[in-house]
Each structure stands twice: as structure tokens, then as C-alpha cells.
Amino acid sequence: PPPPHPPPPPPPFFFLHADAGIAQAQESRGLGDVYKRQGFESMALLAFGFQNWEHGDFDDAEEYLQIFTLNDSPDDYPWIKLLKVIPVPYLKDIELFREFPTLRENSNSNEVLTALNLSDEIISSVNFQKIKEILNYRMLNYQRLSEQLVIKETEEEELRMSNLRIKELQKMLELRDGIQDYSSDFRFFSGLNLIRLTNFNHPEFIQIHSDLIKVWTSSESFLQRIIDNVNNNTYYGPITTKEGSLRTLKIISADREFFTYSFGEAQGKAKVPIAKVSANSLINMSISYDKKVSDKSLLEKSIIEKTLFSYVIGNLSQSAEFSSQISDESFKELWSRILEFERSN
């Protein structure tokens, strides 16, 4: 931490003999030689150091002050040793000055912010106002640059995201068209595969993509629940095909492709492809089985599946009717996003 009171500037007598010391230094082979051979003349090193300090030439100031501080004092001038503490805080400030961060060309806002944080730490440790003023000026420039970069990068990011949204909206609409055929004949697994193979980068469409996966997974679960119910408990009731024919069938078993039903006194068996059965018949089968469910959570899960199945096959009015019966908050959030996308597109 900086001392409570900065060391005083060098006393005037340092400069009384500065000219003599400087002349000796210029005639010698090096400053170290002058220091070793001379007495009070070696204070010219201090004079040189502080003169360069005042002119802002910190490299030369450091050189002179370090030589004065590190070399041994002449025995016949012991009082010089007492003066060696004077350059110490100046040298420390020069060291901090060198540590002040610099920015590479084309720095981004994060790099400038990192430099600003480090700059603040360094300036808080500086002793003397001279260097503080220089570093504060640099820091002010960094702050201005940071503000400019934040504005510029924000505008660039907004433009990038706007262009990305336009591109991915088209991509999403093409995906919805592409999976439409799979919904019409209840091939939800095939639709899911296509959905999962399509990637999005815009946050809005990442969410919609995730919602699509949930909706189509639920639609497949809707069908699987009917199949499981049929295999556990025979279904008897009217079945309408997509072509419009209506028959009352006793469906005794099912798999993912077919309903198997029995007929006649001889209990013959035949199959009807599930893809040929109307969506309303499947929903009526589900409602019929729901009447036997006492667990409220299981019943609501079945209603959610019917809601999303109706949505996928394009029966929005029916899906809206089912959705009004659901209290699950996570479903309500999902349904709200679905409706928002439908309204905006």
C-alpha cells in the first residue's frame, strides 16, 4: 500500500552540484564508474533521475535511480547511504507504470474491460500524482473505447441476430412443411427423426425446436397409450376410417402398425392399419379408456397427449378444447409458446 505521506521531493542541495556530477558522468566510461570514484558528485545520478522523472522519461529516470540505489556508497560519504531510500517509491511507481495494461489492435469490449479492471488496481497502488495523472488519462481513454465498443458490438450483434432470425424462421417453416406428411398418417417417430436432424442457433428457434420435440414425442405417446390399453383391455366401439367408412369393431390387440379385430360367430380376425383410422376415432378410443382412470395425474397426462396430438394433426379447435382442462403449469407455458408461434406465423 502507498505510504500515508508521499516522500518529499529531493532536497535542493542535490542540484547544487548537479552540473559538476553531470560533467564527470559525461567524461567517464559509464555512470557506475563516476559513482565509484566520486563522492558528492555521484548525487548527479539522483539529479539525472529526478530530472528525467519530471520530463516523463521514466526509462532513463529508472536507470539513474537504480544505479544510485544499488551501488555501494563511498566510505568517506556515509550520509549518501541515508539518501538511498528516496528513489524507492519512485522506482515502485515506474514499475507499476510498466505494468499498466496495453491493448492489442482491434481489441474487443471484454478485453478492454479486463484492462480497465487491472488499470484501476494499478492506479490505486501508485504513490505520486505525476504517474497517476498519466495513467488516469490512459484509463479514461480505455473507458471511452469500452463504451464505443459496447455500442458497436451491440449493434452488430442485433443485426446478426436479426439476419439469423429471418434465416431460421424460413428454416423452421420449411421443417414444419416437411413433417406435415408424417403427421397425417401418424408416423411421429419419422417426424421426430427429421426434427432432431435439423439444428437451430437463434434462441427463439432453439426453444421452438425443443417444443416441437416435446409435442411430437407426446403425440407418439398418445398412440402408444391406446395400443397398451387395447392390449390390456379389449376395445369395442365405432371406428371411422379416413375414407369415411364406419364400422363397429371389437379390437382385441394392437401394435404400432395395426389394430386386430375379431368378427363373426367364428371369431375370425382381421387387421386395419392404424394409419387408415381417423384421428377422431383414435381420440374417442382414448376418451373411452380415460373414463376408467381414477388417478388424476395419469388422466391429465392423457389429456395433454390428446391436446398435442390434436394440434399436430391440425385440429386446433379440438386441441384448444382439451387444453382448457389442463392445470399443469409446465404444459401451460408450452401451450402459450405454441399459440404465440401460430399467431405470429
Side-chain angles (χ1 to χ4, degrees):
H5 301 288
F13 72 82
F14 282 168
F15 301 99
L16 295 178
H17 304 285
D19 290 340
I22 292 170
Q24 292 288 347
Q26 292 172 340
E27 294 172 2
S28 68
R29 290 180 307 227
L31 289 171
D33 293 332
V34 174
Y35 189 85
K36 292 174 183 177
R37 295 199 329 263
Q38 304 297 330
F40 66 82
E41 292 90 346
S42 63
M43 287 188 298
L45 296 170
L46 232 48
F48 264 137
F50 287 122
Q51 183 185 47
N52 283 288
W53 169 277
E54 288 301 320
H55 292 160
D57 189 349
F58 300 121
D59 288 339
D60 285 348
E62 182 181 43
E63 181 182 1
Y64 290 121
L65 295 178
Q66 278 184 343
I67 294 174
F68 178 81
T69 303
L70 297 176
N71 284 356
D72 293 333
S73 302
D75 292 336
D76 50 347
Y77 294 99
W79 52 272
I80 292 180
K81 186 178 295 184
L82 301 176
L83 303 179
K84 290 189 175 185
V85 297
I86 294 176
V88 171
Y90 292 87
L91 290 169
K92 179 61 178 174
D93 275 11
I94 293 173
E95 181 181 348
L96 292 170
F97 179 82
R98 295 186 193 284
E99 292 175 1
F100 197 81
T102 56
L103 296 174
R104 67 177 181 85
E105 188 176 359
N106 299 323
S107 295
N108 59 43
S109 60
N110 287 332
E111 292 170 332
V112 177
L113 180 60
T114 300
L116 276 171
N117 292 333
L118 180 57
S119 301
D120 191 50
E121 293 178 12
I122 289 174
I123 291 173
S124 66
S125 300
V126 170
N127 292 297
F128 296 106
Q129 192 63 26
K130 186 173 190 64
I131 283 188
K132 278 191 176 182
E133 288 176 357
I134 296 173
L135 298 186
N136 278 328
Y137 179 76
R138 291 188 184 178
M139 189 171 177
L140 180 61
N141 287 334
Y142 285 3
Q143 289 171 339
R144 290 171 178 164
L145 177 60
S146 176
E147 292 168 1
Q148 293 169 359
L149 287 174
V150 167
I151 293 172
K152 177 186 175 185
E153 291 172 7
T154 300
E155 291 174 348
E156 289 175 347
E157 180 64 10
E158 287 175 353
L159 178 60
R160 187 186 74 83
M161 294 302 288
S162 176
N163 291 335
L164 180 62
R165 188 187 185 283
I166 293 170
K167 178 181 176 181
E168 295 206 335
L169 172 58
Q170 182 62 33
K171 188 177 181 181
M172 176 60 71
L173 294 176
E174 290 172 358
L175 173 61
R176 284 162 60 90
D177 287 343
I179 58 179
Q180 190 63 42
D181 290 342
Y182 296 122
S183 67
S184 61
D185 55 6
F186 315 137
R187 289 183 293 152
F188 301 119
F189 268 134
S190 298
L192 273 169
N193 288 336
L194 179 57
I195 293 169
R196 289 188 172 115
L197 286 171
T198 309
N199 297 316
F200 294 87
N201 296 304
H202 191 284
E204 178 183 347
F205 295 106
I206 289 174
Q207 180 65 65
I208 294 172
H209 183 254
S210 174
D211 290 345
L212 269 180
I213 291 174
K214 291 177 184 177
V215 167
W216 280 67
T217 299
S218 179
S219 299
E220 179 62 30
S221 296
F222 166 79
L223 273 185
Q224 191 59 52
R225 188 183 295 273
I226 292 175
I227 292 167
D228 292 342
N229 284 330
V230 166
N231 289 327
N232 290 326
N233 193 353
T234 298
Y235 174 81
Y236 183 80
I239 295 293
T240 304
T241 65
K242 291 177 180 177
E243 287 78 12
S245 65
L246 173 63
R247 297 175 62 186
T248 298
L249 298 179
K250 181 181 181 181
I251 301 176
I252 57 176
S253 66
D255 57 30
R256 188 57 185 81
E257 299 296 326
F258 298 98
F259 287 139
T260 300
Y261 61 93
S262 62
F263 59 92
E265 294 181 1
Q267 294 293 300
K269 295 180 180 179
K271 294 183 177 184
V272 56
I274 292 177
K276 298 289 185 181
V277 176
S278 70
N280 280 338
S281 290
L282 294 174
I283 288 173
N284 289 334
M285 290 178 71
S286 175
I287 292 172
S288 174
Y289 282 115
D290 281 352
K291 293 176 181 178
K292 303 172 185 178
V293 177
S294 58
D295 188 314
K296 290 184 177 180
S297 63
L298 289 178
L299 181 59
E300 185 164 76
K301 185 174 182 180
S302 178
I303 297 173
I304 288 174
E305 290 171 354
K306 280 193 284 290
T307 302
L308 298 179
F309 169 78
S310 298
Y311 167 71
V312 167
I313 63 172
N315 194 335
L316 298 182
S317 60
Q318 190 172 50
S319 63
E321 180 182 346
F322 285 133
S323 70
S324 65
Q325 305 172 35
I326 301 168
S327 59
D328 182 80
E329 290 300 324
S330 62
F331 169 80
K332 287 182 177 180
E333 292 175 3
L334 170 64
W335 190 242
S336 176
R337 291 193 298 269
I338 289 173
L339 294 180
E340 177 63 27
F341 183 77
E342 292 295 332
R343 282 192 296 266
S344 60
N345 298 285

